[in-house]
């Protein structure tokens, strides 16, 4: 029996409802299609498209100690706590270890563990980065609300005569506050509607871009990645948006409403509010505080985005240990009817035909691509040293490669020699080690010629000898240090599922169709899939960091724009309130430069105050980015200084426009109109 994923059903069977009952050939085994799963479901891995019963495999395949690496899902019975389930699973893991001991390696400590599914589905790094983005959204919302509150303060100042008249003829203050709050909530609701429209568009864009593939490409520790194409604007999202819109409208409209309904009757009716004529000190003070808050919040976002961008730049500067340009990769499963002894001959002919394709300059095999994150790992035993306690052997990554793999990916040889075509079954077993392996396992010694046993590939029972040291290749992630790696000659340890690496003289994808044709001509039933360039695989490992940095930078730019507009509004309103004062100053001999310095100085004061508050807040807030950064500290002084200078400079420029307008006011007009 088999279950199809919705995407596979539509892509391969054109959504044919008569697919039920059809027989599929999967790895040479027939399976009957019994159902199609709903859209968006891709299993725990986030990538599955076909499901078959695990018991359909040969039971003998699970009788070995290394065959029990599974992720099981269970629903707790009523009254069973997660702690109780964890204890039971640990007991079961111990029983499995005892029932299926490894013949050579101490496996009694492997065991099993349990944790809630929600905690297992998302990698901690992904969870933290999503929370950081949520915090960025909240900061942008606060800045926008502060900006709107500033606008309401300005509007209320312009309506002070109207409000004073209403109060004078008997209107109640509560009624006026209610009216002003209604206007605030209405504006917020309109913004919420516009936000929902943008969110609807944004969800469609995310579904098209499918950034979840970037999470899968990094092979993080979560069982799977959230499928962005399954995100929908459901009633819960609409309710959240409605509550948020009404709440922010009430919260940030209350202070302007209360302040607007407390005018000075005499001054307001004469249009001579002493607070405004005195430079608007009290009103401007409220607006200035909001502007300072906007700048401080914007600086927090700018500091975070600056750190993420510097981290991304550091990642881009890391050399992965190989050359990914102009390399085509494709995965190949075992051809039907091929046994372990016949595999080397099959792949010899396959590589020969691949190498004869026009445009192909070099070709090789490996079991796992670099920067994949889920390659094999094992332990090594040093046969020229006394045995160590079982379980304390050095851990290494292990890789199966053909001799030309190092030249195809341009991995340098540091010492000794590489594999040759003579390193085949029946000959003395040999291995290559990475620089990190040589340095950590044989510190200060020459590893060439050392006898070792490797815990996989049949290299444990027979002693192998180190014949060469090659450069470090990052098989995990770019932000992790190289780990010890051991390479086995494929011809001394044949495997079925391999990946082909073909270096080309031009565009690698131009030879993809011909490469697929070569495989089909030799093994029509062998599945060929995951055809991509090695550069795109490397790009995917960077895509998640790039995606997070881009989003945070986008939020920071929005925050910077809002803070700049807020400061401009404050300075512009202050200039309009001080028109007569400016005219008097000019009439008494103040120069254009004096007026510019006075007005710009107010903007500089707001900017400096906001920068100081923002730097203090950023020093604490950016600590949550520690696990997301590479090569840069959360309190990097260069980034903080650059961001603060940028923000102050932008605010000064925003203050320059109203300052120029103030300096160009003729004194007579200022005295007459002011």
């Amino acid at each position: 029996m088999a279950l199809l994923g919705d995407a596979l059903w539509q892509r391969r069977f054109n959504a044919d409802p008569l697919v039920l009952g059809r027989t599929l050939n999967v790895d040479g085994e027939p399976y009957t299609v019994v159902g199609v799963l709903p859209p968006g479901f891709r299993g725990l891995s986030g990538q599955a498209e076909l499901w078959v019963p695990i018991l359909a495999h040969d039971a003998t395949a699970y009788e070995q100690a290394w065959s029990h690496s599974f992720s099981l899902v269970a629903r707790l019975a009523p009254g069973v706590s997660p702690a109780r389930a964890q204890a039971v699973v640990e007991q079961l893991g111990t029983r499995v270890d005892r029932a299926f001991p490894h013949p050579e390696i101490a496996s009694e400590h492997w065991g099993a563990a349990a944790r809630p599914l929600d905690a297992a589905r998302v990698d901690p790094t992904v969870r933290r980065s999503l929370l950081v983005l949520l915090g960025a959204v909240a900061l942008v919302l606060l800045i926008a609300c502060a900006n709107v509150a500033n606008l309401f303060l300005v509007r209320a100042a312009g309506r002070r005569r109207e409000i004073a008249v209403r109060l004078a003829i008997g209107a109640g203050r509560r009624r006026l506050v209610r009216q002003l709050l209604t206007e605030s909530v209405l504006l917020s609701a309109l913004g919420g509607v516009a936000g929902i429209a943008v969110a609807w568009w944004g969800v469609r864009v995310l579904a098209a871009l499918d950034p979840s593939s970037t999470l899968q490409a990094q092979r993080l520790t979560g069982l799977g990645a959230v499928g962005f194409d399954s995100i929908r604007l459901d009633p819960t999202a609409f309710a959240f948006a409605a509550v948020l819109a009404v709440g922010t409208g009430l919260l940030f409209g209350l202070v302007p409403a209360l302040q607007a309904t407390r005018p000075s009757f005499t001054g307001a009716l004469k249009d001579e509010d002493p607070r405004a004529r005195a430079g608007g000190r009290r009103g401007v003070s409220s607006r200035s505080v909001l502007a300072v808050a906007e700048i401080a919040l914007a600086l927090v976002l700018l500091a975070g985005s600056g750190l993420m961008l510097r981290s991304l730049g550091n990642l881009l500067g890391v050399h992965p240990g190989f050359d990914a340009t102009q390399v085509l990769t494709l995965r190949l499963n075992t051809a039907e009817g091929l046994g372990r002894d016949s595999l080397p001959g099959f792949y010899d002919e396959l590589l020969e035909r691949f190498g004869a394709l026009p445009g192909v300059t070099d070709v090789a095999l490996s079991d796992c691509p670099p920067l994949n994150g889920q390659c094999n790992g094992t332990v090594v035993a040093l046969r020229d040293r006394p045995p160590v306690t079982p379980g304390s052997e050095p851990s290494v990554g292990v890789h199966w490669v053909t001799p030309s793999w190092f030249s195809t990916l341009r991995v340098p040889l540091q010492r000794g020699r590489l594999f040759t075509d003579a390193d085949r079954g029946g000959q003395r077993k040999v291995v290559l080690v990475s620089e990190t392996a040589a340095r950590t396992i044989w510190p200060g010694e020459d590893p060439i010629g050392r006898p070792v046993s490797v815990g996989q590939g049949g290299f444990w029972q027979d002693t192998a000898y180190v014949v060469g040291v090659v450069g470090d290749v990052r098989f995990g992630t770019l932000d992790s240090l190289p780990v010890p790696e051991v390479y086995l000659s494929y011809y001394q340890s044949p495997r079925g599922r391999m990946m082909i690496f073909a270096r080309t003289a031009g565009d690698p994808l131009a030879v993809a169709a011909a490469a697929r044709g070569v495989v089909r001509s030799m093994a029509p039933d062998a599945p060929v899939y995951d055809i991509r360039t090695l550069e795109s695989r490397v790009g995917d490992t960077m895509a998640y960091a790039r995606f997070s940095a881009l989003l945070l930078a986008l939020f920071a730019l929005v925050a910077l724009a809002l803070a700049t507009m807020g400061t401009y509004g404050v300075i512009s309103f202050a200039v309009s309130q001080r028109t007569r004062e400016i005219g008097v100053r000019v009439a008494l001999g103040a120069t254009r430069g004096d007026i510019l310095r006075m007005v710009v100085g107010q903007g500089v004061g707001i900017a400096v105050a906001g920068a100081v508050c923002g730097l203090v807040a950023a020093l604490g807030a950016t600590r949550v980015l520690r696990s997301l950064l590479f090569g840069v500290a959360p309190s990097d002084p260069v980034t903080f200084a650059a961001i603060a200078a940028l923000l102050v400079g932008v605010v000064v420029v925003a203050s320059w426009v109203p300052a120029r307008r103030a300096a160009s006011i003729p004194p007579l007009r200022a005295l007459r109109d002011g």
Side-chain angles (χ1 to χ4, degrees):
M1 295 186 298
L3 293 173
L4 301 179
D6 179 76
L8 178 61
W9 177 50
Q10 296 195 38
R11 184 178 69 250
R12 188 72 178 270
F13 301 98
N14 199 27
D16 184 4
L18 300 180
V19 71
L20 300 181
R22 290 182 58 176
T23 300
L24 301 180
N25 190 303
V26 181
D27 284 343
E29 297 291 335
Y31 291 91
T32 302
V33 178
V34 296
V36 178
L37 294 171
F41 180 75
R42 298 194 182 99
L44 294 179
S45 66
Q47 304 176 73
E49 292 189 297
L50 178 70
W51 290 261
V52 298
I54 193 171
L55 296 179
H57 295 282
D58 185 2
T60 59
Y62 307 114
E63 295 178 357
Q64 307 298 328
W66 51 82
S67 300
H68 302 134
S69 180
F70 296 102
S71 295
L72 284 73
V73 179
R75 186 174 296 278
L76 294 180
V80 177
S81 66
R84 173 60 180 163
Q86 169 70 21
V88 171
V89 168
E90 290 178 356
Q91 294 176 2
L92 291 175
T94 302
R95 290 172 57 185
V96 172
D97 288 341
R98 292 174 180 172
F100 300 95
H102 193 284
E104 299 288 347
I105 302 174
S107 61
E108 66 275 2
H109 61 283
W110 288 357
R115 54 178 173 164
L117 181 59
D118 285 342
R121 290 186 64 217
V122 182
D123 181 85
T125 301
V126 176
R127 186 185 300 276
R128 173 164 293 189
S129 62
L130 293 178
L131 291 176
V132 168
L133 293 178
L134 178 62
V137 172
L139 290 179
V140 171
L141 176 63
L142 288 175
I143 295 172
C145 290
N147 229 338
V148 172
N150 243 335
L151 293 177
F152 275 118
L153 286 171
V154 172
R155 187 167 183 268
R159 298 175 64 184
R160 63 182 183 273
R161 172 178 286 187
E162 171 199 342
I163 294 174
V165 169
R166 291 190 178 196
L167 289 172
I169 62 177
R173 187 184 181 208
R174 179 177 299 178
R175 183 175 181 179
L176 289 177
V177 169
R178 187 164 61 245
Q179 175 189 340
L180 295 176
L181 283 179
T182 301
E183 296 175 1
S184 173
V185 171
L186 179 60
L187 180 62
S188 182
L190 292 175
V193 172
I196 290 176
V198 173
W200 177 83
W201 174 81
V203 167
R204 294 175 66 88
V205 171
L206 285 176
L209 296 176
D210 192 20
S212 62
S213 63
T214 67
L215 310 186
Q216 297 163 3
Q218 278 197 287
R219 310 289 184 178
L220 298 171
T221 58
L223 291 175
V226 177
F228 281 74
D229 57 350
S230 63
I231 297 178
R232 298 289 184 270
L233 290 177
D234 55 12
T236 303
F238 284 108
F240 176 77
V243 171
L244 194 62
V246 174
T248 53
L250 290 173
L251 180 62
F252 288 89
L254 184 60
V255 173
L258 292 175
Q259 183 171 324
T261 54
R262 287 181 178 175
S264 172
F265 284 99
T266 303
L269 292 174
K270 293 180 180 179
D271 197 19
E272 294 181 354
D273 190 338
R275 291 170 294 183
R277 292 304 182 198
R281 298 186 182 280
R282 184 173 175 183
V284 171
S285 177
S286 299
R287 290 186 291 275
S288 298
V289 169
L290 287 173
V292 168
E294 291 181 53
I295 293 173
L297 294 175
L299 192 142
V300 173
L301 278 177
L302 286 169
S305 65
L307 291 172
M308 292 289 286
L309 290 174
R310 286 202 63 188
S311 176
L312 179 61
N314 292 336
L315 281 175
L316 291 173
V318 173
H319 191 276
F322 60 93
D323 182 7
T325 58
Q326 296 181 312
V327 176
L328 180 70
T329 63
L330 61 155
R331 295 184 186 272
L332 178 64
N333 281 2
T334 307
E336 188 175 357
L338 289 179
R340 181 181 177 88
D341 294 337
S342 57
L343 281 173
F346 169 79
Y347 280 118
D348 268 342
E349 183 179 355
L350 182 66
L351 293 180
E352 183 178 352
R353 293 194 184 185
F354 258 87
L357 291 176
V360 175
T361 59
D362 210 347
V363 63
L365 292 177
S366 177
D367 67 307
C368 188
L371 296 175
N372 183 66
Q374 285 188 338
C375 297
N376 282 298
T378 187
V379 296
V380 295
L382 310 180
R383 295 308 184 191
D384 59 345
R385 297 182 183 177
V388 298
T389 304
S392 60
E393 301 94 345
S395 297
V396 296
V398 58
H399 310 278
W400 287 255
V401 298
T402 53
S404 58
W405 186 82
F406 301 96
S407 61
T408 301
L409 268 65
R410 296 174 180 169
V411 178
L413 174 68
Q414 304 297 338
R415 296 194 297 279
R417 69 171 178 87
L418 298 174
F419 293 139
T420 67
D421 288 337
D423 296 319
R424 293 179 174 265
Q427 303 298 318
R428 188 179 78 160
K429 291 187 175 181
V430 294
V431 298
L432 298 172
V433 297
S434 66
E435 285 186 275
T436 298
R439 186 171 55 253
T440 57
I441 300 177
W442 297 277
E445 303 177 33
D446 185 5
I448 304 299
R450 298 299 181 101
V452 297
S453 292
V454 185
Q456 290 190 30
F459 276 59
W460 187 264
Q461 294 82 2
D462 299 331
T463 299
Y465 294 86
V466 179
V467 296
V469 178
V470 296
D472 285 322
V473 175
R474 295 177 187 259
F475 287 93
T477 58
L478 283 174
D479 58 353
S480 60
L481 295 175
V483 299
E485 310 282 358
V486 172
Y487 298 89
L488 310 181
S489 173
Y490 173 79
Y491 297 117
Q492 291 187 331
S493 179
R495 292 168 62 90
R497 298 184 180 184
M498 298 294 288
M499 175 171 280
I500 301 175
F501 296 77
R503 180 170 292 279
T504 62
D507 181 12
L509 293 177
V511 302
R516 188 190 293 271
V518 168
V519 177
R520 286 181 174 175
S521 67
M522 292 185 59
D525 296 330
V528 181
Y529 58 101
D530 197 17
I531 302 179
R532 302 175 59 192
T533 65
L534 189 55
E535 279 187 300
S536 70
R537 296 183 186 276
V538 174
D540 277 351
T541 63
M542 298 288 298
Y544 178 65
R546 189 181 295 112
F547 182 73
S548 299
L550 177 63
L551 278 184
L552 195 57
L554 179 62
F555 290 138
L557 289 177
V558 172
L560 177 61
L562 291 174
T564 303
M565 288 188 292
T567 305
Y568 171 81
V570 169
I571 302 301
S572 182
F573 182 76
V575 168
S576 67
Q577 294 294 307
R578 302 174 68 180
T579 302
R580 175 173 294 181
E581 174 194 343
I582 293 173
V584 172
R585 287 176 179 267
V586 173
L588 293 177
T591 64
R592 179 183 176 91
D594 294 332
I595 302 302
L596 287 174
R597 282 191 294 272
M598 179 186 70
V599 178
V600 173
Q602 184 178 357
V604 171
I606 293 175
V608 171
V612 171
C613 296
L615 287 173
V616 174
L619 284 172
T622 54
R623 294 184 181 276
V624 302
L625 298 176
R626 186 181 300 274
S627 63
L628 305 177
L629 300 177
F630 175 74
V632 58
S635 57
D636 180 59
V638 176
T639 302
F640 278 56
I643 292 300
L646 170 66
L647 191 57
V648 172
V650 169
V651 171
V652 169
V653 172
S655 305
W656 180 262
V657 177
R660 286 186 59 191
R661 186 173 69 247
S664 63
I665 298 176
L668 292 178
R669 198 188 82 183
L671 293 172
R672 183 181 64 251
D673 298 340

